């Protein structure tokens, strides 16, 4: 019976030799790394973690007040010098966190030193001479996971949190770090595990035809799990664009005001702006954060029928960008096109992206023109990009389409490709279980699918894990976290 | 009588209105800044300082254990959330330092948050909404100076320490930060001040012809001060090159092996290397740290008589670089030149730089050749750059010429142009005082020069200062220090 939970469960997946190396590495080394960004700043923080951290630190740190670092309480800060023999390297603050009340769950020392790269290197090298080892990327968080301070999806959220750069990506990462969907999965997996135990127990009494596992309750649980998995899988599309920025193509004929609109949005929102030179002369991407959500605007070449070969390529690329976007803005000059022409042109786009039709240049349009287009019944936003009029209509629409309501309603959203893959596998196995129930499959066959489902669900939270999996996850971390 | 000492002495130099603004700014604002380098890292530290720092921090920080931040002891660390209304911004550690036991001497809070730039910005903006003000460059250290935590030259050393990038520059900055020459100046200035008081007192009893100030003792003090000032001024040349790297030109005929030597030095020393593209195609500069001292090697164009106009310019530039260097290595191919030719060529250089003559390519030289050159009596180092043979001879010679002995002998060395200028002015005034004594000048005239000398000496340590001076000094700091 698979009862793999707790912090060390993954060890059983390792060959004996690797296990020994791993145990030695994890449980005996004191690791060290720079925790703050590299480069010069006012201060830098160097972090040591391991059972020996305080002892090693005390060999290189002399408190100004003469206090012995080894005798100090957890969560206290001490002023002193980093000393290498007779030589003072720097005046620093040393903060002590004692096992288990630290980030990693081990003893942790943080040295806050002057931010010179030279000093950072000297302290790191001195600590290595005194018995530390340079930490691998993400090793502090790996320790936190191994010591049960957080589950695997929470650990993964730490990396997301560090790289978060908008309100949306930040909120998603924070939600996940604080438990998020993994706590729900953990509970359901436990319930499923209990049923699996009962069903496996039935197998021992196969000849007596008993039923320990209440089939009705079991069916309810499977339905509940299926529903959660489906909703989480559905949330991935939203989660992914919220995390990475929602691609919005701005298309339209030449001189419809696409670049003016882009610039107007930038000014209007006093946004965080980054300018990514496109792969072609014709496509410019700009990132704007509006209402806490990042949009990746793609300003495309003007669409028109042309015999110019180079321009043809530009138009083809614009249509390609349109296909790959989540939302597209079709911008037209109210004075130059009729509603019929707009309908005809937008219908020609084969894109599943959400569409926003925007009539531009209202500032120079005649009342009759405005009236005639408004009366067409087509959903159109009327703006003047040049005069920055009614741009809020457009940003509200963008936020609506971006699914920010889902974000604010505390719905659980997944953003991680690994989670998506495992949830998909879990769902496949749960569906097999469901089919097994429907076809009144025997307990031993049901048990096989159940085990597999439990395995996948466990991989999300790290209740089931192995060295490769952990290696892959933590290799993407920065060193020092 | 000028008795301007203590932390607030500079205030008397400000006009009343500016004074008020300044006092308001300094004594009422709580300042905030990112203290770690900008960019994403595992963690970032945000620092608040001011009498209100703990109160403001407590409005945005909820301890996990429910403790009230206001009631916590100095030098303790607390885990909690940064909260903006209902929204959690990040899980952070808050460290408390209570007035006067902090860097600035005020109440200080340090938030250690996840290193996302988004999170950093959110926390900074929240704190500003709660009543903080963004700190100006160096304002934390300015506060430390104003609150008497360090003198002005110590404060300046903080910036040097942060930008130190070799053992030498680091040691000079650390020495200065720990008091260094300023403590000696402070003592001598105090003695001089006492004499000045006595001499001014004599003026009140001018008709009685009394002498409160012992002229012999006074003469001794002036001699002592003169000696110190001269030795400090002399140390500037050494200090400056140690701080900024010692320029070493490598000159010699084409194909004597200059670039090979440079590369060999780089590999040999596993040095910190930075590659600065020269202003011309022909001059490449490389920085190497050897034995803790930074050398700035300048690889020049090969020297030879030429009719080619462009090559002529290259040769002229090489000779120019040679003039500006502190040391030059004249490299020659042992198989191609005689000692007489070497002597003739090096004599033609009009440079005050220290000279090291190096014979290269010993690996392919005949015994006879080696013997004949060695017997010449000229001081020559024999190496093979290609085979990396005897390079240690060269680096030892460089370190000898670099004056590292002075560095290690704990001699006081100044590195700061401001100090150099003021020490020069102080010396001029002290010389005037000396002349006054020699010419048996009357007390009132002596007093004028004395006051001026006291003024300049006070500017070094900040016992005398004004807003402009402080502004200039701290504007060069990074924000957050």
């Amino acid at each position: 019976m698979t009862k793999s939970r707790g912090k060390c469960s993954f060890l059983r997946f390792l060959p004996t030799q690797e296990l020994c190396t791993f145990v030695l590495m994890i449980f005996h080394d004191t690791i060290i790394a720079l925790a703050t960004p590299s480069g010069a700043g006012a201060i830098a923080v160097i972090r040591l973690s391991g059972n020996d951290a305080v002892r090693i630190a005390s060999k290189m740190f002399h408190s100004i007040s003469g206090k012995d670092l080894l005798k100090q309480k957890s969560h206290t800060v001490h002023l002193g010098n980093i000393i290498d023999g007779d030589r003072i390297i720097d005046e620093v603050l040393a903060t002590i966190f004692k096992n288990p009340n630290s980030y990693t769950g081990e003893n942790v020392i943080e040295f806050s030193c002057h931010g010179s790269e030279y000093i950072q290197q000297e302290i790191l090298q001195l600590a290595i001479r005194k018995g530390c080892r340079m930490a691998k990327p993400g090793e502090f968080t790996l320790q936190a996971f191994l010591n049960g301070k957080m589950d695997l999806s929470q650990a993964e959220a730490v990396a997301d949190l560090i790289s978060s750069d908008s309100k949306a990506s930040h909120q998603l990462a924070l939600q996940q770090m604080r438990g998020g969907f993994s706590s729900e999965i953990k509970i359901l997996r436990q319930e499923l595990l209990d049923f699996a135990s009962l069903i496996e127990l039935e197998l021992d009494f196969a000849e007596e035809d008993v039923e320990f596992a209440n089939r009705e309750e079991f069916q309810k649980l499977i339905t509940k799990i299926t529903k959660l998995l489906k909703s989480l899988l559905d949330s991935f599309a939203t989660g992914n664009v919220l995390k990475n920025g929602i691609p919005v193509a701005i298309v339209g004929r030449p001189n419809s005001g696409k670049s003016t609109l882009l610039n107007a949005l930038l000014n209007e929102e006093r946004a965080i702006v980054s300018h990514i030179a496109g792969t072609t002369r014709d496509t410019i991407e700009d990132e704007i954060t509006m209402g806490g959500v990042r949009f990746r605007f793609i300003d495309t070449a003007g669409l028109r029928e042309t015999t110019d070969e180079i321009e043809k390529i530009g138009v083809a690329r614009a249509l390609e960008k349109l296909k790959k976007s989540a939302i597209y803005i079709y911008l037209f000059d109210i004075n130059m096109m009729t509603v019929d022409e707009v309908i005809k042109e937008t219908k020609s786009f084969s894109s599943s992206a959400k569409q926003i039709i925007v009539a531009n240049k209202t500032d120079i349009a005649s009342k009759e023109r405005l009236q005639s287009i408004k009366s067409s019944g087509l959903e159109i936003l009327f703006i003047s990009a040049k005069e920055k009029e009614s741009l809020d209509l457009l940003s509200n629409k963008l936020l609506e389409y971006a699914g920010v309501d889902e974000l604010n309603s505390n719905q659980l959203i997944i953003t991680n490709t690994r989670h998506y893959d495992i949830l998909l596998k879990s769902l496949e196995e749960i569906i097999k279980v469901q089919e097994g129930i429907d076809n009144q499959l025997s307990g031993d066959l049901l048990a096989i699918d159940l085990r597999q489902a439990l395995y996948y669900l466990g991989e999300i939270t790290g209740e089931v894990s192995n060295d490769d999996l952990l290696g892959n996850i933590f290799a993407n971390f920065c060193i020092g976290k």
Side-chain angles (χ1 to χ4, degrees), chain A residues 220-267:
Chain A
K220 269 189 197 162
L221 177 64
I222 295 295
T223 308
K224 206 166 154 190
I225 292 176
T226 309
K227 205 177 145 198
L228 174 68
L229 293 180
K230 278 187 177 163
S231 110
L232 285 175
L233 284 166
D234 283 347
S235 78
F236 181 66
T238 312
N240 205 38
V241 290
L242 285 177
K243 186 174 164 186
N244 298 318
I246 299 170
V248 180
I250 306 179
V251 294
R253 292 198 182 167
N255 297 322
S256 52
K258 296 182 296 297
S259 299
T260 313
L261 174 61
L262 190 57
N263 288 332
L265 287 168
L266 293 177
N267 293 334

